[in-house]
Amino acid sequence: MKSAVETLNPTRVRLTVEVPFEELKDSLDAAYKKINQQVTVKGFRKGKIPARVIDQRFGRGAVLEEAVNDALPKFYTEAVNEAEINPLGQPEVDITELKDGETLNFTAEVDVRPSIEIPDYSGIEVTVDAVEVTDEDVDKSVEQLRERFASTNPVERAADEGDVVTLDLEAKVDGEVLEDGVAAGVSYTIGSGELLDGIDDAVKGLEAGGEATFTSQLKGGSAEGKDAEVTVKVTAVASRELPELDDDFAQLASEFDTLEELRADSRKRLENMKAYDQATQAQERVLEELLKLAEVPVPEKLLEEEINTRKHNLEHHQLGQMGIDLAKYLEIQGKTEEEFDAETKEQAVKGIKTQFLLDELVNKEKLNVNQEELTEHLMRRAASSGMSPDQFAQAVVEGGQVPMLVGEVARGKALAVVVEAAKVLDTNGEVVDLDDDEDEAEAGESAEGVTADAADAGTDAADKADQSEDKGDKPEA
């Protein structure tokens, strides 16, 4: 077999392969054997039909087609290895010449990973939000905790802002009561905004037994988006009483003995959260600067697959779970379909460029992933997916997704290398010193977020292309 490679553009090549006919012998024998098991010829036992009879009855062309389809993956793989290229996805194969007894010639066009030069990233400088926690922030945090420990007491008076009311609801559209528009015993806090628009004004001033009718646009159900006439009846009114902010409350709501200790702990928690946000912000902004410095070509077919993957995941997973379609989503977002398509393409391009660039950095820096790092990443992914670590690990193994997770961790480590070399300042002009261990763990999550949309939906197109290469997907004529 002889092969040659032609570079069509930075992300696509054409392989030209010439195969002497004698190298098809094994595949021809296999083709005759396969056809023998599938057909019946009078006068011959099944599986014992001579090759000349098969040629006469079913045509030599059918045998050659079966043999070529069987042999192509092997010859294609040999040509790829000989050319030392990194293909992405399945090739487009064209049989250019097939002469019985003489030769098989074919071409294979395939996307390849582009050659990327890692830029000098030592001069990257970014600014992030300062970690500042005010007394007002602490007050709000403690007040939210206080709200969780509020008690309710029935009252015999008209309902007012902040009261908890028990309601019976009935919704009509065009004068007809909706099948899913009736509910009884609904508990609602006036002013929370958790039910229908207009319900607060309707129930304020009503005592138990009182009712009112108002018009509101339905937020869900069979008549979502339509205006409905809603009748609401108040069956009970209860006041919410917040506990006093004192040491007794601290002991009730936490492991601390005093309110001062509780407030100090709240401040520390808020500082940790803002420090985490600051580290993530640093990674995202450093990555943005790195992408500006690098020249990363994007394969057209891979980009098309990535865009389709993102649209499919949004429509059939995220929006499907919310019970809305793409048109409704765009209406809620206030976007046109053209704007949505442009944003999706921009995100897909960024995701592919990020993955290619960080993968190249992994190779350059010779970064490896150990079992402990992979386990920690798996635990984080399991937590974000709502699955137990054992369930998530089983799903990953069964789905052949282990290489994908390893890639995510490795890219996180690569991003951490760049962040460590960058100069990070906060809005006060102070140098931000990111903890190495924390930075490495968070970088893994940040890299995952920008390279694979929704980790909950599976791999992105680039990961899929890599996996198809690993599994040796078979090209066919």
Side-chain angles (χ1 to χ4, degrees):
M1 186 195 82
K2 293 192 301 183
S3 66
V5 60
E6 174 189 359
T7 300
L8 302 177
N9 61 50
T11 63
R12 194 164 179 83
V13 300
R14 178 189 292 124
L15 295 166
T16 302
V17 185
E18 299 178 10
V19 182
F21 202 80
E22 56 266 23
E23 294 188 29
L24 283 172
K25 183 180 183 307
D26 289 344
S27 293
L28 277 169
D29 291 343
Y32 279 115
K33 185 175 181 180
K34 181 177 181 180
I35 295 173
N36 241 307
Q37 299 300 321
Q38 295 175 338
V39 301
T40 301
V41 175
K42 188 176 181 180
F44 296 95
R45 286 185 295 166
K46 197 174 187 68
K48 299 295 184 179
I49 308 170
R52 59 180 176 77
V53 176
I54 290 178
D55 289 345
Q56 291 170 356
R57 289 293 187 94
F58 306 103
R60 174 72 167 176
V63 180
L64 289 176
E65 181 179 355
E66 181 69 35
V68 168
N69 282 333
D70 176 73
L72 272 179
K74 181 186 72 170
F75 295 132
Y76 168 72
T77 300
E78 290 178 5
V80 165
N81 293 336
E82 187 176 298
E84 297 182 342
I85 60 174
N86 297 311
L88 296 171
Q90 288 196 8
E92 294 180 1
V93 177
D94 181 28
I95 306 296
T96 56
E97 186 176 26
L98 176 59
K99 290 185 177 180
D100 195 358
E102 295 184 27
T103 186
L104 163 66
N105 297 336
F106 69 91
T107 62
E109 289 190 16
V110 67
D111 286 336
V112 294
R113 277 185 174 266
S115 176
I116 302 172
E117 183 176 345
I118 300 297
D120 179 10
Y121 48 79
S122 61
I124 290 178
E125 181 175 324
V126 297
T127 301
V128 296
D129 295 336
V131 175
E132 295 177 337
V133 177
T134 65
D135 289 343
E136 288 75 15
D137 293 330
V138 176
D139 291 342
K140 184 177 179 181
S141 177
V142 173
E143 189 63 25
Q144 289 173 342
L145 182 62
R146 188 183 178 205
E147 289 277 350
R148 289 167 52 190
F149 284 85
S151 59
T152 57
N153 295 304
V155 294
E156 295 182 3
R157 60 167 173 77
D160 202 355
E161 187 82 10
D163 286 342
V164 179
V165 289
T166 304
L167 309 173
D168 292 341
L169 298 164
E170 181 183 84
K172 294 181 181 179
V173 173
D174 298 329
E176 296 291 331
V177 178
L178 299 173
E179 289 186 9
D180 55 354
V182 178
V186 177
S187 180
Y188 175 67
T189 301
I190 300 176
S192 67
E194 294 174 352
L195 277 179
L196 299 168
D197 293 338
I199 196 168
D200 289 339
D201 291 336
V203 298
K204 281 181 186 176
L206 295 181
E207 297 183 13
E211 66 177 57
T213 300
F214 64 100
T215 301
S216 181
Q217 187 179 79
L218 299 178
K219 297 180 180 179
S222 60
E224 179 186 3
K226 294 184 178 180
D227 286 339
E229 183 182 84
V230 182
T231 299
V232 56
K233 180 178 180 180
V234 177
T235 60
V237 180
S239 65
R240 295 178 76 249
E241 295 184 9
L242 298 175
E244 292 293 329
L245 280 178
D246 53 22
D247 292 347
D248 288 339
F249 169 70
Q251 293 167 20
L252 170 68
S254 71
E255 70 271 29
F256 301 105
D257 293 328
T258 66
L259 182 61
E260 183 179 351
E261 291 174 330
L262 174 60
R263 289 180 60 84
D265 180 71
S266 295
R267 183 180 296 276
K268 182 63 177 177
R269 288 176 184 272
L270 291 171
E271 288 174 347
N272 289 340
M273 289 172 57
K274 291 199 173 186
Y276 179 91
D277 292 342
Q278 184 189 65
T280 302
Q281 191 179 71
Q283 293 149 14
E284 292 172 348
R285 293 184 179 179
V286 167
L287 180 57
E288 291 283 354
E289 295 302 313
L290 181 64
L291 288 171
K292 290 178 185 177
L293 294 174
E295 192 71 35
V296 186
V298 176
E300 291 183 10
K301 285 195 66 178
L302 184 64
L303 176 58
E304 181 182 346
E305 291 173 7
E306 175 70 358
I307 291 172
N308 291 337
T309 296
R310 288 170 182 258
K311 285 185 175 180
H312 178 85
N313 288 342
L314 176 65
E315 290 189 65
H316 298 279
H317 295 285
Q318 295 161 271
L319 298 184
Q321 292 176 355
M322 296 166 61
I324 62 175
D325 58 15
L326 182 58
K328 184 64 178 178
Y329 169 76
L330 294 179
E331 180 185 333
I332 294 171
Q333 294 292 315
K335 296 177 184 176
T336 65
E337 190 169 346
E338 290 73 20
E339 290 172 333
F340 169 74
D341 288 342
E343 287 182 10
T344 302
K345 181 178 180 179
E346 181 182 355
Q347 293 165 358
V349 168
K350 181 181 178 182
I352 293 172
K353 285 187 174 183
T354 297
Q355 181 166 335
F356 283 169
L357 185 56
L358 293 181
D359 283 347
E360 186 64 29
L361 192 56
V362 168
N363 294 331
K364 180 182 177 182
E365 299 292 339
K366 296 181 172 57
L367 301 175
N368 296 312
V369 176
N370 60 42
Q371 185 62 47
E372 182 180 356
E373 292 167 335
L374 182 60
T375 300
E376 289 177 356
H377 184 65
L378 186 147
M379 298 283 282
R380 288 195 297 270
R381 286 291 303 272
S384 65
S385 70
M387 301 170 66
S388 72
D390 288 344
Q391 289 174 326
F392 187 79
Q394 183 177 352
V396 166
V397 172
E398 291 178 352
Q401 304 296 306
V402 173
M404 181 194 74
L405 287 188
V406 172
E408 289 173 357
V409 178
R411 290 176 207 125
K413 296 180 72 171
L415 181 56
V417 169
V418 183
V419 173
E420 186 177 353
K423 184 176 183 180
V424 182
L425 302 173
D426 66 18
T427 48
N428 294 329
E430 299 292 330
V431 175
V432 177
D433 183 19
L434 299 173
D435 177 76
D436 287 346
D437 293 337
E438 181 178 307
D439 176 48
E440 185 172 301
E442 290 167 0
E445 295 179 62
S446 177
E448 171 193 339
V450 295
T451 58
D453 185 53
D456 57 341
T459 61
D460 60 15
D463 275 324
K464 286 181 180 177
D466 285 341
Q467 289 175 11
S468 71
E469 175 192 348
D470 293 338
K471 294 176 182 177
D473 280 354
K474 296 181 179 181
E476 291 190 359

